Amino acid sequence: MAVTETTGTFMGTSVRRKEDAGLLRGRTTFVDNLTLPATVFMAVVRSPYPHARITSVNLDAVRAAEGVVAAFSGADLAQDWTGGLPCAWPVTEDIKMPTHYPLAVDEARFQGDGVAVVVAESRALAKDAAELVEVDYEPLGSTADVEKALEDGAPLVHDDLGTNECYVWKLDSGDVQAAIDAADVVVTRRYFQPRLIPNAIEPRGVLAQVGPTDEVTLWSATQVPHILRFALQLVIGIPESKIRVIAPDVGGGFGSKLNVYAEEALAVTLARRLGRPVKWTEERTENYQATIHGRDVVHELTFAATSDGTITAVKSIAKCAMGAYLQLVTPGIPLLGAWIYSGPYDIPNYSVTFTGVFTHTTPTDAYRGAGRPEATYVIERTMDALARELGVDPIELRRKNFVKEFPHTMASGLTIDAGDYDACLERLLELLDVDAIKADQASRRAGGDAKQIGVGFSTYNEMCGLAPSRILGAIRYAVGGWDAATIRFQPLGSVQVVTGTSPHGQSHETTWAQIVADQLGVSVDEVEVLHGDTAVSQQGMDTYGSRSLTVGGIALYHASQKIVGKARAIVAHQLEVSEDDLEFENGAFAVKGSPDRSMDIKAAAFQAHAAHNLPDGMEPGLEETAVFDPPNFSWPSGAHAAVVEVDTETGDTRLVRYVAVDDVGTPVNPQIIDGQVHGGITQGIAAALYEEGAYDEEGNLLTTTMTTYLVPSAAELPSYETDRIETVADNPLGVKGVGETGTIAAAPAVVNAIVDALSHLGVTDVPIPATPERVWRAIEEVRS
Amino acid sequence: MRHVALMANGVRHELEVEPRELLVYVLRERLGLTGTNVGCDTSSCGACTVLVNGEAVKSCTMLGVQADGTEITTIEGLATNGELHAVQQAFHDHHALQCGYCTPGMVLAAVSLIDSGAATDEAAIREGLEGNLCRCTGYHNIVAAVADVAGVA
Amino acid sequence: MIPAAFDYEVAESTDHAIALLGAREDAKLLAGGHSLLPAMKLRLSRPACLIDVGRITDLSYVLEEADSIAIGALTRHKDVTAAALLREHCPIVSHAAGQVGDPQVRHRGTIGGSLAHGDPASDLPAVILALHGELVARGPAGDRAIPAREFFTGVFQTALAPEEVLVEIRVPKLGPSTGWSYTKMSRRAQDWATVAVAAVVERSNGSIERASVALANMGATPIQATATEKAIAEGGSIDDASALAAEGTEPPSDHAASADFRAHLARVLTKRALEEAATR
């Protein structure tokens, strides 16, 4: 790998990634690559029914089978659990919280719910053995439909709760009804955003080892080793102090590995019972049932506006599928969008209502964007609907309603620190050349071409960087939103950074080194970033919700300041000057006005370790920790546009161009930002055009493999055109989150483009994903 | 069990395998070549792509016994004398990987595509990578990296 | 991801394969494995024995005969795609072989394996049907040529007897007055066709005199659009003839499309295929 400059400013430069050295050579530590002596392999037997009473589990045949070490039913393991799998976000006081043991005991409540587990000497034998488990099921009524589940007489997911309604949560500000009554124009639109399956290309995997006095080491393909550590204590009763969780190389997460899963607890409890390491690797088909899904929300969104296009109120009513159980943050996902239903617009009256609903389906939870794509989709689709209603250009409508001045306190109550929504849109329009697209559109329409073209917009803002702990407490999230960083100079001048964030593709080994190198005046190659092992990184809140940079990255800044402060004290002491007389630049302290009297920070580090001549009372060593709790969320924003070509005879829709201008604050590494934007956009496009986790009405998953759940390949997508506007966020580095922006923005831009392409025919909506058949039916409907 | 002799990254191996052992598991679990990853069970994702006699093959869709007598290149064998293959280097330069899980398969599919002469323009590169799924990069930088090596940038 | 256990035999020759088929219960032939192994990994297919024909060396060829091209059953898709004889005399076959799966599939998968699998959504069965090709089966009693229209008998079912091996596919050389098109719609590039249309037409004075049209994924087998063919033969326009493309079909409904939509696509794609074939 290329060696980078040893001096200079790394922030804002596209330093090539440190992570690549191993990943490009196949020298990786993904969990399935790891084995320990005497490891045995676990397979989970899963319910083929969406809802069934388990009348018996017969393990006789499996226990006698070749290579089988052990087999257990849910009832067999019931006494092992000190608690169910945790849900950390009880969003209301009266939320219904079902118990969720790692294996179902008497009832299976979704297709894929674990009912038994087998352990064998090899992966293949475990799979063979799982087929020998005889489970007698009595199928029960079930539903996968979020609205039908609320109807009287609907089959209940949890009989003891007496309802499928998990919670109702509201946020109101101003007087929405009065604004609607007074409005010149009111538009209400209904949208269904189907299930999305996250599809990290690495399936989940665990390897658990438990020592003779319950010392647990758990390797897991997780985004959240720290959260997993304390959750395991809750489920298996072993104190956190004995638990070490290691997230080695992790192959993507997108929220799906932001969780505490049955298999993690099962592997630990079986390793404890059997005295042997237990390994489990998820198969893709299993992943589609046993790993959380995203979305599955029905919205009704209303905008009220004056005839000049000023939006006066927004009202959102949403029914949100929880699935059969509450996973780690299932109920809170809608809330992550709850404050931004005004989008980047200044809308004074505001009302949001979420109803959480149990259905006989795989639990939902965080999937890239989590709550904000849901909100942004309905806002941006309805902005276009309102523009049509008013007969104005959708660009003009957006411009007219943009928040113009910052900081801006929204009707929902939170304050956006910085942004320039007009600048993003103006730059987008420069790149796009709308006139040329519209001319092409006009000529195709005039010619009656089968293939029509359309352009669609999405201007968005989002809240990420989770999160101020006090606010999290106020909205009943069980834990804090801070993060931790430790910086340690080794005696000879190299630097270790220990971060509480847990990257799985986000490039923290590179970008954290950039931040620290600049603060300390050393090279990025001298900074080693350690993460993902709770024995090394003792405290942290992990990686999700575009939080790592704006929380963990700022913690790095503060730890760096402490390091520089202590080094300054050492240098001042040894040069016999006051600390105020020292300037620190490019890694060296120099006496003001006497640049020849200086000491660099590495020398100070050596002095700190030698401890021969430190100020009285100073502890030896040069290591500092900072724990940072952010005072606000992070507020990225941007303007995106999609250009699509729609074959009006077949409904086949191809993305022709995608242009994105984002404001993610001061950039740390532009190339890595672009990569995050590209990937995020792609998941939004996929939601618009390709992906849907489909159930039949009873809750049988129809899209069970990658041949029917359509993750797009390179062949379906164009290259993207991206640019940035930089407004400086209110934090010491000026940075904002970036990981979810593209996913939040992209889906409505694509669907707005399809509607634009077909608007001359009278089409105003196409359900997502906009499959050829759905597009064709939308055209047929308006024709007939 | 069947006797299988194959060359993997220039090293000759002779081993007894069960007929049902997929090549990817022979590589990963018998030969310790864990650089090749498994991402699906339907031959869809391409994460397990290796070169068999120089051509990209999904090693989850080939039995170990079928590999008897073949020469296999996995990601571990692509660099020479520590020097990255041009495709690996281009992936690094263009930031064509994030989590890195699809990368071994993607790189080897790209090597095969370029060697076949089919990487003639962006559209051909995109079509040529249709059998490899990446969830992180949106393919933009992967396509740029492959185009760079193929000289069609 | 791990198939159920099975026995494995290597066939040294076609005759050896035939003998093994006769000797082993519940045996299946393994060629490229790209149809069979995915089903076995999901344990949807659990043959007791696989007979690996992949090492038979004399069934991979493309040869010119008097008025046809003979393709060995074990010829891989990539070799079919590249075959100069096919590109010259029957380009629809090389074109369609280049549409199968993805490059990795085409490196391993064989034309014979694809046809013998009998998947009505596959590319090559419809093409061979439209060409009125012949499939040569070899069994204990020797060779027999099966017309394509008799070969495909149901979903994943063919006219091959239990002890027969598909050894060769014969397709006609297309003359200068013959046009062709393989028009396919799929959700993603790597997916099976939602619907595909293979059309082979005889042109005269700029119009189509006769057309052979076969549809993929419009029923239990690849199926000929006989109403369309008849309309063309009787001098009907492309528009009128393609409107009949779905007659007599029983298309499936699945994640990719409903039966209704497939019928619609069959009409649209048939029209496009005939128009393309008229000029190519």
Side-chain angles (χ1 to χ4, degrees):
Chain A
M1 300 292 139
V3 175
T4 35
E5 297 286 320
T6 52
T7 57
T9 303
F10 296 105
M11 273 282 283
T13 65
S14 293
V15 171
R16 298 295 185 263
R17 295 206 320 165
K18 290 166 171 266
E19 288 85 347
D20 294 356
L23 296 174
L24 275 171
R25 291 179 167 86
R27 279 150 66 174
T28 49
T29 60
F30 297 110
V31 174
D32 196 48
N33 297 356
L34 309 176
T35 46
L36 295 167
T39 296
V40 288
F41 297 81
M42 178 173 93
V44 180
V45 178
R46 301 183 184 281
S47 171
Y49 298 101
H51 192 194
R53 187 162 294 118
I54 301 163
T55 53
S56 76
V57 179
N58 184 340
L59 300 168
D60 295 345
V62 67
R63 285 181 175 139
E66 181 194 354
V68 171
V69 176
F72 302 99
S73 67
D76 293 338
L77 294 179
Q79 70 272 20
D80 286 36
W81 315 123
T82 49
L85 296 170
C87 171
W89 203 342
V91 295
T92 60
E93 271 183 41
D94 59 351
I95 184 174
K96 306 287 192 297
M97 303 271 284
T99 303
H100 182 196
Y101 289 121
L103 284 182
V105 176
D106 47 15
E107 258 183 46
R109 294 186 170 86
F110 68 97
Q111 196 180 56
D113 207 356
V115 298
V117 65
V118 299
V119 179
E121 296 286 355
S122 78
R123 191 194 303 265
L125 291 171
K127 190 169 172 73
D128 292 347
E131 295 186 330
L132 300 175
V133 175
E134 296 166 20
V135 184
D136 286 333
Y137 296 99
E138 181 190 320
L140 300 169
S142 55
T143 182
D145 184 302
V146 70
E147 293 183 296
K148 287 184 180 153
L150 289 174
E151 290 172 1
D152 287 344
L156 295 181
V157 180
H158 300 277
D159 282 334
D160 55 329
L161 301 179
T163 174
N164 286 328
E165 185 181 285
C166 176
Y167 68 83
V168 176
W169 187 95
K170 287 175 182 289
L171 174 63
D172 290 297
S173 172
D175 190 338
V176 165
Q177 195 52 52
I180 289 173
D181 292 344
D184 299 322
V185 178
V186 177
V187 293
T188 298
R189 292 290 182 274
R190 187 187 143 85
Y191 306 95
F192 174 57
Q193 292 169 267
R195 291 229 166 198
L196 296 175
I197 302 181
N199 274 292
I201 304 293
E202 181 204 24
R204 289 189 294 120
V206 297
L207 173 62
Q209 184 178 40
V210 181
T213 53
D214 281 350
E215 313 91 331
V216 174
T217 306
L218 176 66
W219 289 262
S220 182
T222 183
Q223 299 174 224
V224 290
H226 298 92
I227 293 173
L228 179 54
R229 179 177 56 179
F230 78 69
L232 278 174
Q233 170 166 349
L234 300 176
V235 181
I236 59 176
I238 295 174
E240 269 190 88
S241 52
K242 289 193 173 219
I243 300 173
R244 175 182 182 186
V245 177
I246 301 174
D249 285 341
V250 175
F254 317 107
S256 71
K257 295 171 182 169
L258 184 202
N259 228 304
V260 177
Y261 281 106
E263 296 82 3
E264 292 168 323
L266 281 168
V268 172
T269 210
L270 293 175
R272 190 188 198 187
R273 274 180 175 245
L274 302 173
R276 295 176 67 176
V278 172
K279 183 169 170 175
W280 171 80
T281 303
E282 189 178 53
E283 297 194 350
R284 180 61 58 188
T285 304
E286 193 175 25
N287 172 271
Y288 280 14
Q289 296 188 331
T291 292
I292 62 94
H293 297 170
R295 321 291 191 255
D296 195 354
V297 181
V298 175
H299 267 94
E300 195 180 277
L301 192 88
T302 300
F303 278 146
T306 59
S307 56
D308 73 347
T310 303
I311 303 171
T312 53
V314 57
K315 178 181 175 185
S316 168
I317 299 171
K319 296 182 179 67
C320 310
M322 304 287 100
Y325 298 101
L326 303 180
Q327 284 277 355
L328 188 65
V329 288
T330 302
I333 298 308
L335 274 65
L336 294 170
W339 283 267
I340 60 161
Y341 275 79
S342 49
Y345 315 113
D346 190 0
I347 305 177
N349 299 292
Y350 192 93
S351 173
V352 168
T353 304
F354 299 121
T355 303
V357 184
F358 291 111
T359 57
H360 294 95
T361 58
T362 295
T364 63
D365 206 304
Y367 170 54
R368 201 169 193 169
R372 290 145 291 162
E374 291 91 318
T376 302
Y377 183 75
V378 300
I379 296 161
E380 288 304 293
R381 292 294 321 284
T382 310
M383 284 301 284
D384 272 28
L386 177 61
R388 280 194 299 277
E389 200 75 24
L390 289 164
V392 302
D393 182 342
I395 300 169
E396 283 312 313
L397 182 67
R398 286 173 169 83
R399 216 180 247 140
K400 181 174 185 66
N401 286 282
F402 272 157
V403 171
K404 305 282 186 190
E405 289 180 13
F406 299 87
H408 169 78
T409 298
M410 300 180 292
S412 61
L414 296 178
T415 299
I416 302 169
D417 55 350
D420 188 340
Y421 302 157
D422 280 301
C424 286
L425 180 57
E426 294 317 311
R427 180 67 186 130
L428 177 80
L429 294 172
E430 281 172 28
L431 294 169
L432 193 62
D433 194 354
V434 179
D435 291 346
I437 297 163
K438 287 290 176 184
D440 186 6
Q441 183 183 65
S443 110
R444 289 177 191 229
R445 286 179 180 182
D449 291 12
K451 291 186 179 175
Q452 291 292 325
I453 196 168
V455 58
F457 295 88
S458 171
T459 51
Y460 75 96
N461 70 348
E462 65 130 332
M463 52 177 266
C464 62
L466 308 177
S469 297
R470 285 182 179 181
I471 295 181
L472 291 179
I475 59 176
R476 303 179 54 83
Y477 187 58
V479 296
W482 49 266
D483 222 302
T486 297
I487 299 175
R488 176 186 301 141
F489 258 105
Q490 302 293 4
L492 298 181
S494 64
V495 178
Q496 279 186 328
V497 171
V498 180
T499 179
T501 64
S502 195
H504 41 282
Q506 291 87 345
S507 320
H508 297 173
E509 290 176 24
T510 304
T511 49
W512 281 196
Q514 288 179 254
I515 292 169
V516 171
D518 272 2
Q519 295 301 322
L520 303 184
V522 299
S523 159
V524 288
D525 295 327
E526 293 172 295
V527 181
E528 202 63 31
V529 177
L530 308 179
H531 60 81
D533 179 345
T534 61
V536 174
S537 166
Q538 288 283 341
Q539 48 177 356
M541 293 304 295
D542 307 319
T543 288
Y544 56 89
S546 304
R547 68 184 306 278
S548 297
L549 175 59
T550 60
V551 187
I554 302 301
L556 289 173
Y557 169 84
H558 288 297
S560 301
Q561 295 307 300
K562 288 187 181 180
I563 290 276
V564 172
K566 182 169 179 180
R568 181 188 298 272
I570 293 168
V571 174
H573 174 74
Q574 297 204 351
L575 296 183
E576 298 179 335
V577 295
S578 123
E579 290 182 31
D580 294 342
D581 289 337
L582 290 174
E583 290 175 322
F584 181 62
E585 203 176 343
N586 292 328
F589 295 92
V591 178
K592 287 177 190 167
S594 313
D596 52 320
R597 293 182 67 202
S598 70
M599 182 187 289
D600 74 24
I601 194 165
K602 292 177 190 171
F606 185 80
Q607 292 300 324
H609 283 272
H612 297 165
N613 182 18
L614 296 179
D616 288 346
M618 178 181 277
E619 291 180 13
L622 189 52
E623 170 174 331
E624 296 290 347
T625 293
V627 180
F628 176 68
D629 199 339
N632 192 357
F633 292 88
S634 177
W635 300 95
S637 61
H640 288 209
V643 181
V644 299
E645 185 177 72
V646 183
D647 185 330
T648 56
E649 294 175 355
T650 65
D652 198 23
T653 300
R654 299 287 154 176
L655 189 62
V656 179
R657 288 177 70 195
Y658 195 95
V659 188
V661 177
D662 296 292
D663 174 3
V664 296
T666 305
V668 177
N669 184 318
Q671 190 181 44
I672 287 170
I673 289 173
D674 286 346
Q676 290 293 313
V677 170
H678 297 153
I681 287 169
T682 302
Q683 289 181 22
I685 292 166
L689 292 177
Y690 294 102
E691 296 183 16
E692 175 174 22
Y695 282 100
D696 69 10
E697 287 195 5
E698 281 75 42
N700 296 294
L701 186 65
L702 302 174
T703 48
T704 55
T705 73
M706 277 187 164
T707 63
T708 49
Y709 186 91
L710 307 182
V711 175
S713 80
E716 285 73 57
L717 298 164
S719 287
Y720 305 131
E721 301 156 64
T722 59
D723 202 357
R724 280 190 305 281
I725 294 295
E726 294 171 22
T727 67
V728 179
D730 184 17
N731 60 51
L733 299 175
V735 294
K736 304 182 185 181
V738 64
E740 298 166 290
T741 56
T743 305
I744 291 164
V750 173
V751 182
N752 283 339
I754 297 171
V755 171
D756 181 58
L758 303 176
S759 60
H760 64 302
L761 304 174
V763 171
T764 58
D765 189 25
V766 180
I768 53 171
T771 63
E773 178 157 0
R774 285 181 177 143
V775 171
W776 173 70
R777 288 192 185 283
I779 297 168
E780 289 296 295
E781 263 171 42
V782 295
R783 275 187 178 155
S784 62
Chain B
M1 300 294 262
R2 304 284 299 202
H3 185 77
V4 168
L6 54 80
M7 295 285 285
N9 301 330
V11 178
R12 183 175 168 81
H13 295 272
E14 301 217 16
L15 61 167
E16 303 294 316
V17 304
E18 224 191 317
R20 67 163 160 171
E21 282 185 76
L22 301 171
L23 176 59
V24 66
Y25 290 123
V26 172
L27 295 170
R28 289 177 53 80
E29 297 177 351
R30 300 299 204 87
L31 306 186
L33 295 169
T34 53
T36 303
N37 295 322
V38 176
C40 75
D41 39 26
T42 49
S43 314
S44 307
C45 78
C48 65
T49 299
V50 299
L51 301 183
V52 176
N53 298 334
E55 287 179 335
V57 168
K58 292 181 179 178
S59 64
C60 74
T61 315
M62 184 167 173
L63 301 173
V65 289
Q66 289 178 289
D68 186 27
T70 62
E71 285 189 32
I72 292 165
T73 303
T74 70
I75 193 70
E76 291 97 330
L78 198 57
T80 45
N81 302 322
E83 195 78 3
L84 293 180
H85 184 281
V87 173
Q88 289 171 307
Q89 185 63 46
F91 269 54
H92 180 57
D93 292 340
H94 288 271
H95 183 36
L97 63 156
Q98 291 179 27
C99 83
Y101 195 79
C102 77
T103 305
M106 192 70 79
V107 165
L108 290 164
V111 168
S112 178
L113 181 71
I114 293 166
D115 287 351
S116 76
T120 49
D121 59 20
E122 182 185 331
I125 291 166
R126 287 182 172 276
E127 286 291 327
L129 296 175
E130 65 181 305
N132 291 75
L133 300 179
C134 170
R135 197 59 160 168
C136 295
T137 65
Y139 308 101
H140 180 106
N141 288 342
I142 291 172
V143 172
V146 176
D148 189 356
V149 178
V152 296
Chain C
M1 185 62 195
I2 300 172
F6 54 85
D7 290 337
Y8 174 80
E9 299 280 2
V10 174
E12 307 293 345
S13 66
T14 310
D15 288 345
H16 187 207
I18 293 163
L20 287 167
L21 280 172
R24 301 300 301 254
E25 287 286 305
D26 187 22
K28 274 191 181 281
L29 298 181
L30 175 70
H34 276 57
S35 301
L36 183 57
L37 293 178
M40 290 176 64
K41 286 192 295 178
L42 296 175
R43 300 198 172 191
L44 300 172
S45 174
R46 297 166 179 257
C49 178
L50 290 190
I51 299 164
D52 187 351
V53 294
R55 293 181 191 279
I56 299 174
T57 52
D58 58 1
L59 287 184
S60 176
Y61 56 81
V62 178
L63 295 174
E64 183 169 9
E65 295 179 350
D67 46 15
S68 65
I69 302 292
I71 309 165
L74 290 178
T75 311
R76 299 189 192 279
H77 297 308
K78 59 137 186 164
D79 294 324
V80 174
T81 306
L85 280 172
L86 286 167
R87 286 172 169 255
E88 183 184 349
H89 295 295
C90 198
I92 187 172
V93 175
S94 46
H95 173 82
Q99 305 270 304
V100 176
D102 55 45
Q104 290 97 318
V105 170
R106 298 193 287 273
H107 289 151
R108 291 285 302 165
T110 64
I111 185 169
S114 175
L115 292 167
H117 187 55
D119 183 343
S122 283
D123 299 292
L124 292 166
V127 169
I128 303 302
L129 183 61
L131 286 165
H132 302 302
E134 281 186 336
L135 297 97
V136 181
R138 184 171 301 161
D143 287 5
R144 65 176 178 125
I146 307 169
R149 83 192 70 167
E150 294 169 19
F151 186 79
F152 304 103
T153 57
V155 179
F156 304 127
Q157 289 182 335
T158 70
L160 287 173
E163 292 175 33
E164 280 184 326
V165 177
L166 177 62
V167 292
E168 188 173 279
I169 296 91
R170 293 182 192 147
V171 293
K173 289 185 185 170
L174 305 182
S177 64
T178 306
W180 62 276
S181 171
Y182 183 63
T183 300
K184 173 180 177 177
M185 186 159 135
S186 61
R187 294 292 310 280
R188 295 174 302 183
Q190 71 163 244
D191 291 326
W192 280 270
T194 307
V195 173
V197 179
V200 180
V201 306
E202 287 305 317
R203 296 175 297 227
S204 175
N205 298 325
S207 72
I208 299 179
E209 286 195 324
R210 276 179 295 125
S212 174
V213 177
L215 310 172
N217 216 359
M218 285 297 290
T221 65
I223 187 167
Q224 288 203 249
T226 50
T228 296
E229 292 173 350
K230 184 161 176 282
I232 293 287
E234 290 171 354
S237 69
I238 287 178
D239 279 6
D240 291 343
S242 56
L244 305 171
E247 285 204 1
T249 63
E250 290 179 26
S253 284
D254 59 26
H255 75 282
S258 68
D260 278 359
F261 183 52
R262 281 201 163 88
H264 167 76
L265 287 178
R267 292 186 285 267
V268 173
L269 299 182
T270 296
K271 176 168 179 281
R272 292 181 180 182
L274 289 173
E275 284 169 349
E276 185 176 54
T279 58
R280 175 158 77 182

